[in-house]
Amino acid sequence: MSIIKDINLHKLGEQKIEWVKKYMPVLRGLEEEFVKTQPFAGVKVALSIHLEAKTAYLVKVLAAGGATMYVTGSNPLSTQDDVAAALAHAGIEVFATHNCTMEEYDMYIAKAIEKDIDIVIDDGGDLTTLIHKDQKKASTIIGGAEETTTGIIRLKAMAKRGELMYPMMSVNDADCKHLFDNRYGTGQSSWDGIMRTSNLVIAGKTVVVAGYGWVSRGIAAKANGLGANVVVTEIDSIKAIEAIMDGFRVMTMDEAAKVGDIFVTGTGCKDVIIQKHFDTMKDGVLLSNAGHFDCEVSVADLEKNSVSKKEMRKNIMGYVQADGRILNVIGEGRLVNLAAADGHPAEIMDMSFALQALSMKYLLENHKDLENEVLAVPREIDLLVAQRKLESLDVNIDSLTQDQIDYLNE
Ligand code: NAI
């Protein structure tokens, strides 16, 4: 039995899924194949990914290939109730409600793995962590795939301690994932979230981007495109030079806190912006986070030290400081592109989720030979997704002649 907000919302959810499907040609092609070949017949899959329309379409594609799906979200604010309703209405078991408490969130994840599970599709590692609390359960699982950087870091730590009990495919590390999803996807959708929630101008503002990895590079590039003055903070000297060469100012967060108008964190780290930074910020700044967990902008510090708080606009909480300044947090400091917008554009998730679907097929076909490690997605799968994406865009590229291959191998 699904646990969702309201099944009557299903029509709106179906409309959203139909919309994204049109822009996900690679996944659509896989769906056509899977309907015929049924590669997942009899396979039970627990999935925990931000529950919006693109994810729902992935769920439908896997189900069309024969899988029985148990679905939950991967963040309380990113779940869309109408999309959850559409899946439940289609007969898929869903455990997710928007804005649930953390207790409910944990309960939903537990529900998704309550039955016997063969495969795990995770985003951030919460599902895998919970499964490993029950060694008996973990030992029955064939393997899984992880969607994001933070999840991969957690999984690698488990593998290093010798605790990982099944192989996990590192979808995030495939080129067709992080090059496009983390960079361009988060870049565009984070600004979508910040702009639609605040309805303020970006041009001319000083935007402070914490980190200069895949996610934060994309956010900085799009801020630049919107006409902002971009400041980058980093802990890695090489990334810092890269930011400088890309034309951005680099400074510490202590310095940046004083000059920024809009802050976006995307580091995967914690306590990137804390009280000592809040103390020196300008009145009216916007604070947001695009990293996986809501610990980059310390909302805990704001909750503790502010004299009061008030909702300034839908999804923007204003924290009033003792001197009267108001610091505005978007989407509770959770991933701004999902908590305050609809996540990455469909065309980008087309590649990420095609990788997920093909990784799952690979896992089923090869699991007996795989170690209990974090495993790279085979290059052939990455290239297949890229080729199909190009085909869908009607773009041809050159190929090497034998003569050229010989020349390059000399
Ligand atoms: P990455 O490893 O490519 O980049 C992280 C960067 O942050 C690195 O350059 C690192 O040196 C820097 N960094 C770490 N701690 C820092 C600190 N305290 N101050 C300043 N810089 C710091 O990782 P990636 O792929 O960019 O992912 C970052 C986070 O975003 C992860 O939590 C990931 O799971 C999440 N993510 C979020 C998405 C979304 O839809 N919002 C999509 C994809 C990833």
Side-chain angles (χ1 to χ4, degrees), residues 42-46 112-120 130-132 134-144 163-167 363-364 367 372:
V43 177
K44 296 185 213 69
V45 181
I113 56 168
E114 202 175 62
K115 307 259 171 62
D116 291 337
I117 297 294
D118 302 306
I119 297 267
V120 175
L130 188 64
I131 288 172
H132 277 75
D134 179 351
Q135 300 262 309
K136 211 164 126 216
K137 176 131 220 138
S139 67
T140 64
I141 289 178
I142 291 174
E163 291 171 3
L164 190 62
M165 290 188 66
Y166 44 80
L363 202 56
L364 283 170
H367 67 95
N372 294 344

Side-chain angles (χ1 to χ4, degrees), residues 45-61:
V45 181
L47 178 144
S48 160
I49 303 189
H50 303 289
L51 193 45
E52 43 73 50
K54 281 91 68 182
T55 307
Y57 183 44
L58 171 67
V59 168
K60 293 188 97 171
V61 169

Side-chain angles (χ1 to χ4, degrees), residues 50 123-124 146-153 172-173 177-178 181-183 185-187 189-190 209-219 232-237 239-240 242 251 253 265-273 289-293 296 334-338 343-344 349:
H50 303 289
D123 185 336
E146 168 57 51
E147 174 78 3
T148 196
T149 315
T150 285
I152 299 296
I153 291 169
N172 181 73
D173 293 341
K177 202 302 188 159
H178 64 269
D181 172 314
N182 299 31
R183 183 165 43 168
T186 318
S189 56
S190 294
V209 180
Y212 207 60
W214 292 111
V215 161
S216 30
R217 273 192 206 107
I219 293 167
V232 169
T233 70
E234 251 296 345
I235 51 149
D236 178 318
S237 43
K239 300 269 179 62
E242 195 185 347
M251 56 183 86
M253 187 55 82
T265 53
T267 69
C269 189
K270 67 168 190 170
D271 295 340
V272 180
I273 305 183
N289 165 51
H292 189 78
F293 285 119
E296 300 209 19
R334 298 182 190 277
L335 308 103
V336 69
N337 59 325
L338 284 143
H344 299 343
M349 293 316 288

Side-chain angles (χ1 to χ4, degrees), residues 66-218:
T68 303
M69 303 296 300
Y70 302 103
V71 177
T72 184
S74 65
N75 187 298
L77 281 191
S78 62
T79 292
Q80 298 191 5
D81 289 323
D82 46 11
V83 170
L87 285 179
H89 193 254
I92 289 165
E93 283 200 60
V94 185
F95 314 99
T97 53
H98 179 77
N99 209 6
C100 62
T101 62
M102 285 317 285
E103 289 72 35
E104 285 168 327
Y105 175 75
D106 291 341
M107 183 266 284
Y108 296 153
I109 294 186
K111 279 270 173 204
I113 56 168
E114 202 175 62
K115 307 259 171 62
D116 291 337
I117 297 294
D118 302 306
I119 297 267
V120 175
I121 298 185
D122 210 353
D123 185 336
D126 286 349
L127 204 52
T128 309
T129 305
L130 188 64
I131 288 172
H132 277 75
K133 288 194 174 142
D134 179 351
Q135 300 262 309
K136 211 164 126 216
K137 176 131 220 138
S139 67
T140 64
I141 289 178
I142 291 174
E146 168 57 51
E147 174 78 3
T148 196
T149 315
T150 285
I152 299 296
I153 291 169
R154 293 174 84 187
L155 288 176
K156 283 191 175 156
M158 283 173 80
K160 203 168 160 199
R161 296 194 300 267
E163 291 171 3
L164 190 62
M165 290 188 66
Y166 44 80
M168 285 294 287
M169 309 286 296
S170 168
V171 168
N172 181 73
D173 293 341
D175 281 348
C176 280
K177 202 302 188 159
H178 64 269
L179 283 177
F180 309 110
D181 172 314
N182 299 31
R183 183 165 43 168
Y184 300 105
T186 318
Q188 177 170 324
S189 56
S190 294
W191 287 108
D192 174 8
I194 294 165
M195 291 193 291
R196 78 161 82 164
T197 311
S198 70
N199 192 27
L200 295 174
V201 78
I202 309 301
K205 298 257 167 75
T206 297
V207 166
V208 177
V209 180
Y212 207 60
W214 292 111
V215 161
S216 30
R217 273 192 206 107

